Every structure is written in C-alpha cells, then in structure tokens.
Amino acid sequence: MKEKCIAITKKGYDILRIIELERNEKECGFKICPLTDAKNVDIYYLKLFSDVELFPFDKNKRLEITYHRSNNEEPAKIHLKLIDNANDKIFNYITLPLDKIISPNVNTEFPIPLFQVAIPDNLSNKKYQKRKNHLQFEIEDNNVIEIFLTKKDFINSSFVTKWPKTDLLLFSTSIEYYATGLTPKYVKNNITPLSPSPKTICMSANVTNDIGIRINTIRRNKTYSKLEFLFIENIAYLAFLEGLPIKYTLNESWVKLYEDELYNNKHFNIKEKHKWENTFNEEFKKLNKLIVDSNGKYEKQFIKYKLREQFKKISSKDSK
C-alpha cells in the first residue's frame, strides 16, 4: 500500500507533495517534494530574532526537503536532499542552519508552525491527477500557504471554542512572528487591509492515523516568480503565541493571551487551568533564556523596525 501524502494544488495544477516519514508514539518527520525544477525554487530560513536569509544550493539537482524528528542522538533538523537527475542517486545532504526547531509532536494541543510557501500564479503546467493515497488541498488563486502540524482529529476537536483567540491569532498572523515576536510587523499580517486586501482561508484535515495538518492559504498583493520556501526556528512559538500582550480598552491593563483564554472560558476546570499555567510559565522561562542568550539580538530587532515602545510593553510584562 502506498504511503499517504498531502497534495498541494493551485487551480487544478500540481505544486508539491508532503509525505510523512519516520514516527514514534510522540513525534514524526516528513518529506516535502516540490513538483517543479529546482531552478524554480528558492529556500529561505529565519533564525530566532533575525532577518530572513536566502540559502544557496545546487539547482542543477532534483530537490527534496526532509524535516527530521529528534532522536536519542540528534536534535530535529531540516535537510535539503539533492538528487542527481542522471543516475537518480543522492548527490548531497545539506542541513539548514536552524538549530532551534522542535520535533513535530503528534499529540500537540496547539498547531505547530512548520514552514511557509509562496507560490507563483503560473508555476506548473501539469494537471493534478487524483490518487487514492492523496489528501488534496486546493488553494485556488491564493499565492501563500502556511503549514502547521496538528494532532489527529484536530479538525473535529474543541480547539476553536476552547482557545478562540489563539485560533484567530494562528489564522491571522504570518509565520515569521513565531521566530521573532515582532508583534506590529506580523500579527494580523494575513488579514491587514492592503490594496487589494489579503484573502485568508484556513483548512484542516487528518493526514495519517496519528497526525493532521492545518493550512492557512493567503492571497497577497505580491507577484512571486519562484516557489519560495521559508523555514523558521520555532522552539519558542508557544511562548510567542500565548504570551502575546493584549488589552481591549485604553483603561485596561495588559495581559498575556493565555490569561484571557483561561479566565474567560468554560472549558477549563481548576486542575486544567493550573496545568496550562504551569505549561506556559515553563515556555516563558525558556523564551526568556533564549532572549538572554541572544546577546541583545531580541532587543535590536525591535529597534531596527522602530518598535521600541512595543518591546517595552512586552519586556515589562515578561519581567513580572
């Protein structure tokens, strides 16, 4: 029996495949196969508190991308697998310079941001042929997708009603936020009015017996000439997600997103609230250590984008 895979299509044309690889009871890995010549592909990466950078590779080879889960010997990593077209043998493995990525957790409560793909309008001339082992995601005329890993049956879970504001943030905020914390630059970026305004659609489905996937499909007012992949260091994504400072009126004090979710929700009993409070506090401790270890890089990014006041709001809240 053939392995089940995700088929991404645009207006009925083939774009890429995502295939689950090795897995255990907690974690999994997967392979990404662009269905176009490598010369039509650019790979970008985003380290914590940094700018997006282009990663060069040999475009005369066939490209596959593998996102490997951690094991007893090595942490999670992302490989570019370059295959010689002449003999169909692996020419080279290259590891993206992303050290702080988490293993895709098949039991995760919150969707895990994995990567983003920008898709040209006329990338492919190959019509998609439906297969029994395919789970097709048709993105229509949208030109950006953001991929999140979820647990099985996420689509039928109570997540939207249990974490409503978190769900909205995942829908409206571009994936770069989860590596930078640059709130005014990326939060609600997927729905910020432009001319014309972005059109964002969220789709979810089970992929295998143990994982699901959530995809934000976005139409941005931008023309892309290549298939552009962006991979991020996502180790602090949950702290950025639930630590987002919010308030609804000028007279209210700032609170973290999770505080608003937990104390204005009927889905949590006392034990459940304490569990999530402890979970998020551990995530914030981890983020604060990453900030300290960055030797000022976290603060510098806010200054660079003239977001000094926003940084003060975040840092003052984090220090409590």
Side-chain angles (χ1 to χ4, degrees):
M1 183 177 178
K2 290 185 177 180
E3 57 196 351
K4 194 167 184 179
C5 69
I6 298 163
I8 305 294
T9 62
K10 181 178 172 70
K11 296 181 179 179
Y13 290 90
D14 250 336
I15 303 299
L16 60 90
R17 299 282 184 271
I18 305 173
I19 305 167
E20 186 184 19
L21 296 176
E22 76 279 1
R23 66 180 183 267
N24 57 29
E25 67 278 3
K26 293 182 179 180
E27 301 167 333
C28 70
F30 55 89
K31 176 171 66 174
I32 306 158
C33 302
L35 300 179
T36 186
D37 193 286
K39 293 177 181 178
N40 299 323
V41 179
D42 279 341
I43 304 291
Y44 293 88
Y45 65 97
L46 178 56
K47 295 181 73 67
L48 281 176
F49 322 132
S50 302
D51 291 324
V52 172
E53 294 189 51
L54 177 66
F55 188 82
F57 66 96
D58 186 350
K59 298 195 175 187
N60 294 310
K61 303 293 185 286
R62 190 166 83 249
L63 171 68
E64 291 181 355
I65 306 164
T66 51
Y67 196 125
H68 292 283
R69 65 177 176 85
S70 61
N71 55 42
N72 293 332
E73 299 177 356
E74 297 182 352
K77 63 180 66 175
I78 300 170
H79 276 150
L80 303 188
K81 183 166 70 172
L82 303 178
I83 304 168
D84 196 316
N85 288 308
N87 54 26
D88 207 34
K89 293 183 178 179
I90 297 173
F91 175 77
N92 197 9
Y93 271 111
I94 307 173
T95 303
L96 287 185
L98 299 175
D99 304 312
K100 297 177 175 62
I101 59 176
I102 58 177
S103 277
N105 184 340
V106 301
N107 301 309
T108 182
E109 172 88 0
F110 298 90
I112 301 172
L114 298 176
F115 62 95
Q116 179 190 91
V117 191
I119 303 169
D121 286 333
N122 298 307
L123 176 72
S124 174
N125 58 8
K126 181 183 177 183
K127 278 284 189 178
Y128 172 69
Q129 299 295 320
K130 182 69 176 176
R131 299 285 186 271
K132 287 185 178 179
N133 65 315
H134 286 183
L135 177 63
Q136 181 187 6
F137 282 87
E138 167 58 51
I139 70 168
E140 301 178 346
D141 64 341
N142 290 326
N143 58 3
V144 174
I145 61 173
E146 296 178 337
I147 308 293
F148 296 78
L149 181 87
T150 71
K151 61 185 177 182
K152 179 189 174 185
D153 291 333
F154 175 83
I155 190 172
N156 298 317
S157 72
S158 61
F159 184 85
V160 174
T161 53
K162 188 176 180 181
W163 305 97
K165 296 180 179 67
T166 301
D167 179 68
L168 178 61
L169 187 65
L170 288 165
F171 171 77
S172 63
T173 298
S174 58
I175 207 166
E176 294 92 333
Y177 172 70
Y178 303 111
T180 63
L182 290 171
T183 306
K185 184 173 175 62
Y186 295 120
V187 168
K188 299 184 180 179
N189 187 52
N190 288 350
I191 58 172
T192 301
L194 297 173
S195 181
S197 62
K199 179 183 71 177
T200 304
I201 299 172
C202 179
M203 301 183 287
S204 298
N206 285 341
V207 178
T208 67
N209 291 330
D210 52 15
I211 64 168
I213 199 166
R214 171 172 172 150
I215 300 180
N216 290 337
T217 70
I218 307 141
R219 181 71 194 182
R220 291 208 172 122
N221 187 25
K222 182 177 179 180
T223 300
Y224 298 98
S225 60
K226 293 185 178 181
L227 193 66
E228 298 181 3
F229 287 88
L230 171 63
F231 295 92
I232 68 168
E233 288 192 331
N234 58 5
I235 193 170
Y237 92 96
L238 193 53
F240 281 136
L241 178 66
E242 292 300 330
L244 180 73
I246 61 171
K247 68 176 181 177
Y248 297 103
T249 69
L250 292 175
N251 295 327
E252 288 183 335
S253 60
W254 290 92
V255 298
K256 286 184 171 73
L257 176 60
Y258 87 91
E259 294 174 314
D260 188 75
E261 295 276 58
L262 290 181
Y263 294 105
N264 292 281
N265 201 305
K266 298 178 181 178
H267 286 267
F268 306 99
N269 57 33
I270 297 298
K271 184 178 179 181
E272 183 85 350
K273 284 183 178 181
H274 286 165
K275 182 192 82 170
W276 285 115
E277 285 172 343
N278 292 334
T279 297
F280 295 133
N281 283 331
E282 288 302 311
E283 290 294 323
F284 299 141
K285 288 179 184 177
K286 180 171 69 177
L287 174 57
N288 283 331
K289 185 178 186 305
L290 291 166
I291 290 171
V292 171
D293 292 345
S294 74
N295 295 320
K297 186 185 284 188
Y298 176 72
E299 295 90 339
K300 287 176 182 176
Q301 67 174 357
F302 284 89
I303 295 170
K304 178 177 180 178
Y305 290 101
K306 300 179 181 179
L307 304 175
R308 194 186 301 262
E309 290 303 312
Q310 184 64 29
F311 165 68
K312 288 180 180 177
K313 292 172 186 175
I314 294 173
S315 58
S316 63
K317 189 64 183 172
D318 283 344
S319 64
K320 292 183 179 180

